[in-house]
């Protein structure tokens, strides 16, 4: 199973459009089951003591963890740049998941990263920060990452992704699928 994660809780984000394009491509080109997690759909107050109690974890987080993260052998995280890094909502989501079934959720799983930004670096710095966190969680991060720069010029006002960006996405996703097959769980 591969789980695609739209790594922002900002409604109507360009990140979600990229994530949905990845989801569609993977479902058409992979024999794996493909699941989707959109942080926008997690409408719960995470900043409570509940997120730190493994015996009282919020049922929404438990359901995502049990049905989409633990059974998944590979995560694809699409993350926009927030203040030179990745979104705090993504970090908070990872923290909320980490208090229950830690090893089953993270250890030895593969993960691939796509970054997006208004600027020219395509959230390269944020993907490096996220790589450090994921490595700490004992996840195997695919060395090649896809930065999508100047995101506003890659997606028009109607939400259509331009052809060059689609080609880059498809090439990256094909590499991701090959990476997924080439490495067994650590």
């Amino acid at each position: 199973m591969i789980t695609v994660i739209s790594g922002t809780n900002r409604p109507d984000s360009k990140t979600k459009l990229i994530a949905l394009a990845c989801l569609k491509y993977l479902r058409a080109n992979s024999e794996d089951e493909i699941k989707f997690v959109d942080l926008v759909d997690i409408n719960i107050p995470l900043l409570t003591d509940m997120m730190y109690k493994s015996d009282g974890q919020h049922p929404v987080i438990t359901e995502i963890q049990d049905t989409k993260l633990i059974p998944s052998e590979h995560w694809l995280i699409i993350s926009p740049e927030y203040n030179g890094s990745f979104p705090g909502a993504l970090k908070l989501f990872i923290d909320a998941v980490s208090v229950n079934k830690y090893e089953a959720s993270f250890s030895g799983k593969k993960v691939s990263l796509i970054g997006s930004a208004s600027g020219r670096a395509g959230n390269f710095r944020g993907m490096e920060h996220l790589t450090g966190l994921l490595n700490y969680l004992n996840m195997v991060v695919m060395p090649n990452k896809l930065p999508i720069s100047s995101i506003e010029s890659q997606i028009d006002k109607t939400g259509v992704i331009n052809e060059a960006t689609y080609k880059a996405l498809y090439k990256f996703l094909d590499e991701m699928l090959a990476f997924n097959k080439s490495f067994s769980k650590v």
Side-chain angles (χ1 to χ4, degrees):
M1 177 190 303
I2 297 171
T3 299
V4 177
I5 301 171
S6 179
T8 180
N9 62 344
R10 180 176 287 171
D12 303 317
S13 71
K14 296 196 182 333
T15 297
K16 183 173 182 177
L17 295 174
I18 297 294
L20 291 174
C22 293
L23 187 70
K24 182 178 179 180
Y25 184 85
L26 290 170
R27 285 183 173 157
N29 293 282
S30 175
E31 295 176 7
D32 291 308
E33 181 180 7
I34 311 296
K35 297 280 187 165
F36 183 59
V37 175
D38 185 357
L39 296 188
V40 170
D41 295 337
I42 304 173
N43 191 15
I44 57 175
L46 287 175
L47 289 174
T48 67
D49 66 338
M50 177 182 252
M51 77 176 264
Y52 296 106
K53 295 179 181 175
S54 61
D55 61 342
Q57 186 179 47
H58 196 284
V60 170
I61 297 297
T62 301
E63 189 272 331
I64 291 170
Q65 189 172 18
D66 289 346
T67 64
K68 297 179 181 178
L69 302 180
I70 290 173
S72 183
E73 65 180 35
H74 195 127
W75 299 3
L76 169 60
I77 301 174
I78 301 92
S79 172
E81 178 183 353
Y82 276 28
N83 298 318
S85 190
F86 61 93
L90 179 57
K91 175 67 164 84
L92 196 57
F93 172 70
I94 292 168
D95 288 348
V97 170
S98 72
V99 299
N100 189 27
K101 302 176 187 171
Y102 181 88
E103 282 199 31
S105 297
F106 303 107
S107 191
K109 294 189 186 264
K110 295 163 276 197
V111 63
S112 300
L113 301 176
I114 297 174
S116 65
S118 296
R120 62 183 178 180
N123 196 22
F124 185 76
R125 185 180 316 162
M127 287 189 290
E128 289 305 307
H129 292 167
L130 189 52
T131 296
L133 168 65
L134 297 170
N135 286 158
Y136 176 81
L137 296 170
N138 198 30
M139 297 183 86
V140 179
V141 180
M142 185 171 107
N144 188 25
K145 299 166 184 70
L146 179 62
I148 301 175
S149 306
S150 305
I151 192 71
E152 288 81 11
S153 67
Q154 309 303 320
I155 302 173
D156 71 20
K157 293 182 193 303
T158 65
V160 175
I161 300 170
N162 72 34
E163 190 62 31
T165 303
Y166 269 126
K167 286 181 182 178
L169 274 176
Y170 297 161
K171 180 180 179 207
F172 177 82
L173 294 171
D174 287 340
E175 290 176 26
M176 185 193 97
L177 291 171
F179 176 79
N180 192 43
K181 288 189 185 335
S182 66
F183 288 93
S184 60
K185 191 171 181 178
V186 176

